[in-house]
Amino acid sequence: MSSASLSPVLKQATPVVVDHASGSWIHGTDGRRYLDFTTGIGVTSTGHCHPDVVAAAQEQCAKIIHAQYTTVMHQPLLRLTEKLGEHLPDGIDSVFYANSGSEAVEAAVRLARMATRRQYIVTVQRGFHGRTVAAASLTSAGTKFSAGFGPLMAGVATTPFPDALRLGLSEDEAVDYALKEFDYLLGTRIHPDELAAVLIEPVLGDGGYLAVPPAYLAGLRERTRRHGALLVLDEVQAGVGRTGRFWGHQHTDGLVPDVIITAKGIASGFPISAIAAPEAIMAKAWPGSQGGTYGGNAVAAAAGVATLEVIEREGLVENARVRGAQLLDGLRAGLDGVDEICDIRGTGLMLAVEFGDPMANAGSPDSAEAVRLAGAVQRACIDEDLLTLTCGPIGAIVRIIPPLTVTADEVATGTERFIRAVERVVGG
């Protein structure tokens, strides 16, 4: 009898096999209890198996599981649209649902090209937008996401990110540099009349958990308006309360994008994603260009409604802000003076600890050592019963992503465990 196994290319970040999970904790089949500061890469926003989300999914499963939404409509999707609309900026009032962040990104790009009748999409260096062909073509968070299956989608250009740390500049200087480079791109590579959209994450995800300076987002907003292009914000990881605001772009006062992309934490682990735009823009999508067999699944939509209700009722956006500040302060205090660390940063409950020289080129001895350190710390965290992940273009960053429900005691415990892990690694 033949047998099957998972693809050998799939590599787990931890050796944990889950038995069950609740809140911030994963119980492994090894009998250990792990503090989960990965949340399935920012997905289990209300913690593992929040009772309200579980109840909503169970109830919906007994009614209808798959109600294909271009064939028949179902109530959970209507309710989710209503609840999501309470958090969307004024004027953004039309929603299309898909399954994953990558699929939503591709839907947004398709919409932008159809609505403007232009071809070029500009993305920002170190951005991550997915692994499918078009989404990977828009991604520059690391070569592993787009290497080996080219040619990639045409009509994409990348502009520098205002990375003050890597550039060795102040934030204002980095913003000025990056905006000038964007203008230079429009003068040398892409005619403004062919620019369909600028696509950017308000806080970089896989690219390194770097918050986009508000002045840079404001500068892109002004330029897209001036040139008749759309500003598309990829809120897949930063949205739904993760940064201490409901949307990551809300840290830039007064900013209203043309299209918002959301997924991950919107349904606490059930697969659903969406793009939202003004109806006048959404209506410019060509007939038949939006759809999908599983998009807007009834059970996922019911979980999404329950998730948004829990976030509101339990004050989880504010909790993300407060607990994120506690965690950031604790890490900075406990790791002060560790020479191997070049930066400790965070926006709400998106935190990162970066190792090595941020200006070292990939493949250099300095970058190799930074990657080694980050990997060693991430593995040492497992020994401390704390789950974290690495990220960044070369993998020299450890990212910390607690659920929005995380408590002060859990943050204190996680901080202590992380500090011990770093001390074990840098101390030999």
Side-chain angles (χ1 to χ4, degrees):
M1 180 181 295
S2 63
S3 62
S5 61
L6 290 171
S7 166
V9 178
L10 295 171
K11 303 296 183 184
Q12 279 187 257
T14 77
V16 177
V17 177
V18 177
D19 180 76
H20 64 282
S22 177
S24 299
W25 300 89
I26 284 177
H27 297 257
T29 56
D30 56 5
R32 292 166 63 180
R33 181 171 177 256
Y34 299 91
L35 182 56
D36 181 17
F37 278 10
T38 73
T39 55
I41 317 182
V43 170
T44 54
S45 53
T46 58
H48 291 288
C49 301
H50 191 288
D52 290 3
V53 177
V54 171
Q58 289 174 329
E59 181 181 356
Q60 185 57 44
C61 279
K63 293 179 177 179
I64 189 166
I65 294 173
H66 176 59
Q68 204 285 322
Y69 74 138
T70 63
T71 304
V72 295
M73 184 47 62
H74 53 85
Q75 294 181 29
L77 201 63
L78 296 175
R79 289 199 298 270
L80 178 59
T81 304
E82 181 181 355
K83 290 296 295 181
L84 186 60
E86 295 173 5
H87 298 283
L88 291 171
D90 290 342
I92 296 184
D93 55 3
S94 185
V95 185
F96 163 68
Y97 292 96
N99 304 289
S100 68
S102 294
E103 191 175 350
V105 166
E106 298 211 11
V109 168
R110 182 180 298 190
L111 174 63
R113 285 175 165 172
M114 290 176 173
T116 63
R117 296 184 179 271
R118 299 173 176 184
Q119 62 172 309
Y120 281 105
I121 309 294
V122 171
T123 62
V124 178
Q125 199 169 37
R126 293 182 68 165
F128 177 82
H129 304 289
R131 296 175 185 268
T132 51
V133 174
S137 304
L138 301 160
T139 292
S140 55
T143 57
K144 64 182 179 181
F145 302 115
S146 58
F149 64 98
L152 299 174
M153 182 180 72
V156 177
T158 303
T159 192
F161 178 82
D163 187 348
L165 183 66
R166 180 168 175 77
L167 292 169
L169 301 174
S170 69
E171 182 176 295
D172 289 344
E173 290 170 336
V175 168
D176 184 59
Y177 162 78
L179 289 175
K180 286 180 178 177
E181 288 299 300
F182 178 84
D183 293 337
Y184 190 64
L185 178 68
L186 298 191
T188 58
R189 176 67 184 87
I190 298 172
H191 193 285
D193 290 346
E194 291 192 304
L195 177 64
V198 175
L199 172 64
I200 185 172
E201 301 167 277
V203 180
L204 299 187
D206 276 72
Y209 277 39
L210 285 161
V212 178
Y216 184 68
L217 275 181
L220 292 180
R221 173 72 284 186
E222 187 278 324
R223 284 160 172 79
T224 50
R225 282 198 177 120
R226 187 192 334 149
H227 297 307
L230 303 183
L231 179 63
V232 180
L233 292 184
D234 182 341
E235 293 266 10
V236 168
Q237 190 160 171
V240 195
R242 172 60 52 189
T243 69
R245 301 281 181 91
F246 192 89
W247 300 113
H249 74 265
Q250 290 174 331
H251 293 275
T252 301
D253 292 337
L255 180 73
V256 178
D258 296 298
V259 181
I260 294 175
I261 305 169
T262 185
K264 285 194 182 285
I266 196 172
S268 299
F270 286 85
I272 192 167
S273 63
I275 65 171
E279 186 173 344
I281 291 177
M282 195 76 85
K284 293 180 180 179
W286 292 15
S289 66
Q290 294 180 346
T293 301
Y294 296 104
N297 172 268
V299 179
V305 172
T307 295
L308 294 179
E309 289 175 345
V310 168
I311 288 172
E312 181 179 351
R313 184 174 61 253
E314 297 185 9
L316 298 187
V317 176
E318 175 64 8
N319 192 63
R321 185 189 69 81
V322 174
R323 297 282 77 83
Q326 176 193 351
L327 183 51
L328 183 62
D329 289 345
L331 291 173
R332 284 177 171 170
L335 297 173
D336 183 46
V338 178
D339 293 337
E340 291 84 353
I341 293 174
C342 66
D343 196 27
I344 302 173
R345 55 182 176 265
T347 307
L349 287 172
M350 290 182 74
L351 296 103
V353 178
E354 184 166 356
F355 292 84
D357 179 357
M359 289 183 275
N361 293 319
S364 70
D366 287 341
S367 68
E369 175 61 9
V371 172
R372 185 195 70 79
L373 285 169
V377 168
Q378 188 266 340
R379 292 188 296 273
C381 285
I382 300 168
D383 294 335
E384 296 287 343
D385 294 335
L386 173 68
L387 304 183
T388 60
L389 295 168
T390 57
C391 69
I394 61 173
I397 298 165
V398 179
R399 54 178 159 172
I400 303 169
I401 331 167
L404 308 188
T405 53
V406 70
T407 67
D409 286 345
E410 289 168 342
V411 167
T413 298
T415 302
E416 292 169 0
R417 292 180 180 184
F418 190 88
I419 291 169
R420 284 200 300 268
V422 172
E423 290 173 342
R424 286 175 54 194
V425 171
V426 301

